[in-house]
Amino acid sequence: MKNSLSILGKKWVKQILILLSKYEEVNFSKIITSLNITTKVLSERLNLLRSYGLIKRHLKENRSTHYSLTEKGKEIVELIKKMDQILEEKEQKNKNH
């Protein structure tokens, strides 16, 4: 549990996973422009996510690099969305009391 929280707590990890969940595959440069993240940090986060088996890297014939979620990555995104939903409902409940 500690490992998963430390990974998901790293800056940009959640945003990268959510972005990848919206597309079949995402080009490296599209991630940079979509998130306004530096190449160095993006590379570090993508390597981290790959090392945990959450994303796959695809090299295309034109030498561009694309990324997609693995099944495990898709499951994690669903958990993140569920957690966000629960927290949002809790915040709404607190506002109404």
Side-chain angles (χ1 to χ4, degrees):
M1 174 96 156
K2 182 180 175 186
N3 278 344
S4 60
L5 290 179
S6 65
I7 294 164
L8 295 175
K10 286 192 179 289
K11 188 171 182 176
W12 299 112
V13 166
K14 180 179 167 185
Q15 294 92 327
I16 292 167
L17 290 171
I18 297 296
L19 178 68
L20 291 176
S21 74
K22 295 177 181 179
Y23 303 95
E24 190 73 25
E25 287 185 356
V26 183
N27 180 298
F28 184 86
S29 59
K30 180 166 178 67
I31 301 171
I32 290 173
T33 56
S34 296
L35 299 179
N36 196 24
I37 184 174
T38 65
T39 5
K40 180 183 181 220
V41 173
L42 178 57
S43 293
E44 289 171 358
R45 295 305 181 266
L46 291 172
N47 286 332
L48 175 69
L49 293 168
R50 282 181 60 215
S51 72
Y52 281 91
L54 301 179
I55 66 171
K56 293 184 278 190
R57 181 176 181 225
H58 312 275
L59 293 174
K60 300 295 180 176
E61 289 180 19
N62 63 359
R63 299 177 63 183
S64 65
T65 306
H66 290 69
Y67 293 87
S68 64
L69 291 174
T70 61
E71 287 305 312
K72 190 191 307 187
K74 291 175 185 176
E75 291 175 22
I76 294 294
V77 168
E78 289 306 312
L79 290 172
I80 290 169
K81 288 179 180 179
K82 183 65 175 170
M83 287 171 41
D84 286 348
Q85 178 187 355
I86 291 168
L87 292 173
E88 192 174 305
E89 289 170 1
K90 180 74 173 160
E91 284 179 22
Q92 289 300 319
K93 196 179 212 182
N94 289 341
K95 285 181 184 178
N96 295 332
H97 283 67

